[in-house]
Amino acid sequence: MAGAKKPFWKKVKDNRTLLLMCLPAVVFFVVFNYCPLPGVYIAFTNYNFREGIFGSPFVGLKNFEFLIQSGELWKLTRNTLLYNVVFIVLGNVVQITLAVMLNEVRNKYFKKVSQTIMFLPYFISVVLIGAIAFNILNYDTGALNTLLRETGGDPVKIYSMAGIWPFIIIFCQMWQQTGYGSVVYFAAICGIDSGMMEAAEVDGATSWQRIRYIILPSLKPTFIILLLFALGGIMKGNFGLFWNMVGNNSQLFQTTDIIETFVYRTMTTQNNFSTSSAVGLYQSIFGFALVMFSNWLVKRIDPDYALF
């Protein structure tokens, strides 16, 4: 009968190829995201190994109260949010700028070489980045202080100066990630209808006018989608970069300690599973609320750009 609704198993059979392609992703999220959910209960207990998760004494919200009263929660939230806001805003601005500049290059050989050089830092391990930074900045044998001593200056204890480290970390993040992000935007620029660009050239539009009125508006959908994805992880810091750059240096915690490094440190050095679980739960709830609010806001402004 025309228009009759297909049975569920019939739909599964008709779309079995697509469902099989989705199966690895579904299994991944079930195993690593949904199966561990009962462990959230640790955040509300005074956890000990002997009693286990559900046998440990229930303490309610005391772990959260301790974090709030100690000031750690505010510091971790502030650092994590501020770093990620800078990474998102500055990162996208620099990536779009580089993509537009690459698009204006007419020499194809130079363009390909430039793309490759910019993309290479993305494949460099953060462990190596931390090692390079240490060999440049450490007090005793670092290249910077060696140069200062050779020129008659006084060496600088950079690993004791908390105020300068946000700039160092932001620079390293931009250096590593900008090439990859610019390639994404460059691919979006390549997808712009060439007829519009040719028509603009025929009408006498300058390069700046083509960028302003054609390229940048065409990048808007890509920018919004990437922004929403980035907001989904705005409460998740780049643990590898922060840990390898700073390590367990308590002198720098005021400006460099983020949620991931705090959780890792409390679990490995203090064996405090309850506090670290409380921070992790707070991180997840805050991030979820932020994604939902951002998607709602985008949906109100322009429903076509919303994720769902």
Side-chain angles (χ1 to χ4, degrees):
M1 183 183 295
K5 191 175 181 181
K6 288 184 178 181
F8 173 75
W9 292 110
K10 177 65 174 175
K11 292 180 180 178
V12 171
K13 183 178 179 181
D14 293 344
N15 298 282
R16 58 184 179 276
T17 304
L18 294 175
L19 291 173
L20 283 173
M21 292 173 66
C22 294
L23 186 60
V26 173
V27 171
F28 174 86
F29 282 106
V30 168
V31 172
F32 293 102
N33 291 77
Y34 291 99
C35 289
L37 278 178
V40 169
Y41 183 70
I42 297 176
F44 305 97
T45 65
N46 184 14
Y47 179 77
N48 63 74
F49 292 96
R50 178 176 297 177
E51 301 294 335
I53 295 177
F54 299 103
S56 299
F58 181 78
V59 297
L61 300 175
K62 286 188 177 180
N63 292 318
F64 297 91
E65 291 175 6
F66 168 75
L67 286 167
I68 294 171
Q69 292 171 0
S70 66
E72 291 290 338
L73 198 60
W74 158 244
K75 181 186 75 175
L76 296 171
T77 304
R78 179 200 64 197
N79 288 348
T80 306
L81 278 176
L82 288 179
Y83 274 113
N84 280 315
V85 166
V86 174
F87 291 163
I88 293 170
V89 175
L90 184 60
N92 278 283
V93 169
V94 175
Q95 289 163 13
I96 291 173
T97 302
L98 282 176
V100 172
M101 291 172 63
L102 276 175
N103 185 64
E104 293 301 309
V105 174
R106 295 292 174 250
N107 189 313
K108 292 184 178 181
Y109 178 78
F110 179 80
K111 184 184 295 188
K112 290 180 179 180
V113 171
S114 300
Q115 280 182 290
T116 303
I117 293 174
M118 288 190 301
F119 201 77
L120 281 177
Y122 182 76
F123 296 102
I124 296 178
S125 168
V126 288
V127 177
L128 182 57
I129 293 174
I132 293 171
F134 180 79
N135 281 282
I136 294 174
L137 303 175
N138 81 81
Y139 182 79
D140 295 318
T141 59
L144 176 62
N145 282 329
T146 300
L147 180 63
L148 289 174
R149 291 188 185 96
E150 293 294 331
T151 54
D154 296 325
V156 182
K157 295 183 178 180
I158 295 180
Y159 280 90
S160 301
M161 302 167 62
I164 199 174
W165 275 91
F167 300 99
I168 297 173
I169 291 175
I170 290 170
F171 172 80
C172 292
Q173 170 76 8
M174 293 297 103
W175 177 76
Q176 186 184 34
Q177 300 292 331
T178 297
Y180 175 81
S182 64
V183 169
V184 175
Y185 282 111
F186 183 71
I189 293 174
C190 292
I192 298 174
D193 185 7
S194 59
M196 289 194 300
M197 303 295 287
E198 292 171 0
E201 289 183 14
V202 171
D203 290 341
T206 62
S207 296
W208 169 243
Q209 289 172 329
R210 293 197 304 272
I211 293 170
R212 182 179 178 183
Y213 296 108
I214 298 177
I215 295 178
L216 292 182
S218 298
L219 291 178
K220 183 180 176 182
T222 304
F223 171 76
I224 293 176
I225 293 297
L226 292 177
L227 178 63
L228 287 174
F229 282 146
L231 288 175
I234 198 169
M235 286 296 289
K236 294 183 180 296
N238 188 343
F239 169 78
L241 178 65
F242 280 81
W243 187 257
N244 284 285
M245 292 290 293
V246 177
N248 203 18
N249 187 347
S250 59
Q251 298 180 82
L252 307 180
F253 285 167
Q254 188 61 32
T255 58
T256 62
D257 205 17
I258 59 173
I259 291 176
E260 273 76 8
T261 54
F262 177 83
V263 169
Y264 178 78
R265 192 170 60 253
T266 52
M267 289 183 65
T268 56
T269 62
Q270 303 174 22
N271 292 323
N272 193 337
F273 284 81
S274 299
T275 302
S276 58
S277 296
V279 176
L281 179 58
Y282 161 78
Q283 177 188 36
S284 300
I285 293 175
F286 192 100
F288 173 76
L290 190 59
V291 171
M292 297 299 292
F293 173 76
S294 303
N295 188 74
W296 172 83
L297 188 62
V298 171
K299 204 169 186 178
R300 289 288 300 270
I301 298 172
D302 193 339
D304 292 336
Y305 295 137
L307 290 177
F308 49 86

